Amino acid sequence: MKIICTGRNYVEHAKELGNAIPDEPVIFMKPKSALLQVHTPFYYPEFTNELHYEVELVLRVSKNGKYIQEKHAGNYVNGITVGIDFTARDIQDELKSKGLPWEKAKAFDNSAAVGKFIDITPDLQRGNINFSLLKNKEVVQKGNSGEMIFNFDKIIAGISNYFSLNIGDLIFTGTPAGVGECVVGDELEALIESQSLLSVEVK
Ligand code: ZN
């Protein structure tokens, strides 16, 4: 199982970090050890002083595939939820400035918090899914899948040109604007529409 993540997939978020708008999906990965198991606390990592949350829609892969065409991409996922792509922003900024890979900032243990999956049913309007993140019960991030630069089908097709997709893989689809810091004691809760699917306490 692997976790594939999409970077810079919302215009306003790319701008807030001073990044260019990409012309193909920006892809990076997290290993299996990055998955935060449900009901496991998240411990603030020792190596960062600037831990950021990024709320994202997460897809669950249900069929093996490679070189998947966009028009068939929907057949390869069957579940959706919200996740948090925890990011050591200070480390990432340093790595980016040196042109080095991001893994230390993005792929550390428990950096991928994933909520409870709901089925992708035909009536789920894939291009119009509202999701949000609450920090200590206040909304800090809000997104809609219609605002993505690359929609689900383009992400799935784009990833599969480089990496085989396997059953159980998870795809983080990018964060909207509003990323910010969290500190020890914060409670994070992520929702699709009004359905709460993930809660994480930073310890
Ligand atoms: Zn992200």
Side-chain angles (χ1 to χ4, degrees):
M1 179 276 217
K2 58 189 177 293
I3 303 165
I4 307 141
C5 303
T6 314
R8 304 175 191 168
N9 200 23
Y10 290 81
V11 172
E12 293 306 316
H13 170 64
K15 283 186 190 165
E16 77 182 342
L17 294 186
N19 293 313
I21 310 302
D23 47 21
E24 66 171 285
V26 172
I27 302 294
F28 60 95
M29 289 209 222
K30 295 177 187 255
K32 192 178 172 191
S33 49
L35 186 66
L36 182 70
Q37 302 292 340
V38 182
H39 303 309
T40 309
F42 177 89
Y43 291 99
Y44 196 103
E46 285 176 13
F47 50 79
T48 179
N49 292 308
E50 193 186 9
L51 179 72
H52 273 199
Y53 50 77
E54 296 189 356
V55 71
E56 316 200 2
L57 290 170
V58 179
L59 301 171
R60 183 180 62 203
V61 175
S62 55
K63 190 175 165 186
N64 297 338
K66 192 167 169 66
Y67 302 122
I68 298 163
Q69 291 176 43
E70 274 178 46
K71 62 180 177 187
H72 297 136
N75 299 329
Y76 288 81
V77 289
N78 70 350
I80 187 165
T81 189
V82 266
I84 300 172
D85 166 19
F86 282 110
T87 302
R89 193 71 70 198
D90 49 352
I91 307 286
Q92 189 194 27
D93 288 346
E94 191 188 329
L95 294 169
K96 274 164 74 178
S97 73
K98 293 179 182 166
L100 294 171
W102 294 356
E103 276 84 351
K104 286 179 178 172
K106 285 276 198 187
F108 53 87
D109 285 2
N110 299 334
S111 61
V114 176
K116 181 171 162 273
F117 280 92
I118 54 177
D119 292 339
I120 301 181
T121 52
D123 58 315
L124 182 84
Q125 293 176 36
R126 295 155 52 101
N128 185 23
I129 301 169
N130 291 299
F131 62 106
S132 57
L133 181 72
L134 279 63
K135 183 172 91 168
N136 304 326
K137 311 226 184 284
E138 269 180 48
V139 179
V140 287
Q141 275 192 285
K142 260 182 169 176
N144 181 286
S145 57
E147 299 160 357
M148 292 179 168
I149 300 171
F150 302 101
N151 65 21
F152 295 154
D153 295 343
K154 287 191 163 68
I155 293 171
I156 293 164
I159 290 169
S160 77
N161 288 335
Y162 295 86
F163 309 105
S164 295
L165 285 175
N166 296 116
I167 295 172
D169 288 349
L170 302 177
I171 302 174
F172 277 65
T173 59
T175 193
V179 300
E181 248 188 294
C182 46
V183 296
V184 173
D186 281 343
E187 282 179 31
L188 302 169
E189 183 182 7
L191 300 88
I192 288 182
E193 304 294 346
S194 58
Q195 212 177 340
S196 176
L197 297 172
L198 173 68
S199 59
V200 180
E201 193 187 338
V202 181
K203 294 200 171 188

